[in-house]
């Protein structure tokens, strides 16, 4: 069967499989409610692990574990001030993604 012009156009503009896999992994990271809480907190302010722990009523160990995943996914970055490490969103893309996603969910209510 001959491909239609629509199929040709879509095929030409589709990202390669590795890029799709990377995007899927990105959404898996965002698919955890604890990581989303951390990101939404960091959207408002730069925070250290102990502040996040207190805010989310979780252990420092649990917060640190989630922050490691978020850092590896390049969703958060860190800044050291003496012995204290502060976390913030990696860039404005993350902020925009959270904002648009949140607005989408609010529309459904």
């Amino acid at each position: 069967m001959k491909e239609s012009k629509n199929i040709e156009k879509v095929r030409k503009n589709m990202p390669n499989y590795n890029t799709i896999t990377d995007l899927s992994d990105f959404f898996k990271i965002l698919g955890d409610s604890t990581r989303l809480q951390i990101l939404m907190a960091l959207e408002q302010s730069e925070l250290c692990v102990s502040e996040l722990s207190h805010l989310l009523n979780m252990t420092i160990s649990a917060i640190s574990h989630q922050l490691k995943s978020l850092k590896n996914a390049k969703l958060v970055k860190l800044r050291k001030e003496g012995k204290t490490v502060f976390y913030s969103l990696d860039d404005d893309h993350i902020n925009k993604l959270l904002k648009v996603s949140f607005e989408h969910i609010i529309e459904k209510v």
Side-chain angles (χ1 to χ4, degrees), residues 4 8 13 20-21 25-26 33 57 71 74 95 97 106:
S4 69
E8 289 175 20
N13 292 310
I20 295 289
T21 301
D25 292 342
F26 174 80
S33 59
N57 197 29
K71 185 177 176 296
K74 296 181 174 54
N95 191 323
L97 179 66
I106 296 301

Side-chain angles (χ1 to χ4, degrees), residues 4 14 20 22 24-25 27 31 34 47 50 53 59 62-63 68 87 89 91 98 101 105:
S4 69
M14 285 287 289
I20 295 289
D22 290 345
S24 174
D25 292 342
F27 280 111
T34 299
L47 298 165
S50 61
S53 171
T59 65
I63 294 294
K68 182 179 178 184
Y87 290 86
L89 297 182
D91 61 31
L98 291 171
S101 301
I105 296 301

Side-chain angles (χ1 to χ4, degrees), residues 7-77:
I7 291 175
E8 289 175 20
K9 177 183 167 189
V10 170
R11 186 181 310 279
K12 179 181 171 187
N13 292 310
M14 285 287 289
N16 68 42
Y17 182 78
N18 291 335
T19 303
I20 295 289
T21 301
D22 290 345
L23 185 60
S24 174
D25 292 342
F26 174 80
F27 280 111
K28 286 177 189 173
I29 292 290
L30 292 177
D32 180 89
S33 59
T34 299
R35 289 190 288 261
L36 273 176
Q37 285 181 329
I38 292 169
L39 290 172
M40 294 189 92
L42 295 177
E43 185 178 26
Q44 298 178 52
S45 178
E46 177 183 68
L47 298 165
C48 68
V49 175
S50 61
E51 291 172 323
L52 285 164
S53 171
H54 183 74
L55 177 69
L56 301 179
N57 197 29
M58 296 177 66
T59 65
I60 287 176
S61 175
I63 294 294
S64 294
H65 176 75
Q66 298 300 342
L67 284 168
K68 182 179 178 184
S69 295
L70 292 169
K71 185 177 176 296
N72 288 341
K74 296 181 174 54
L75 295 173
V76 299
K77 62 185 175 186

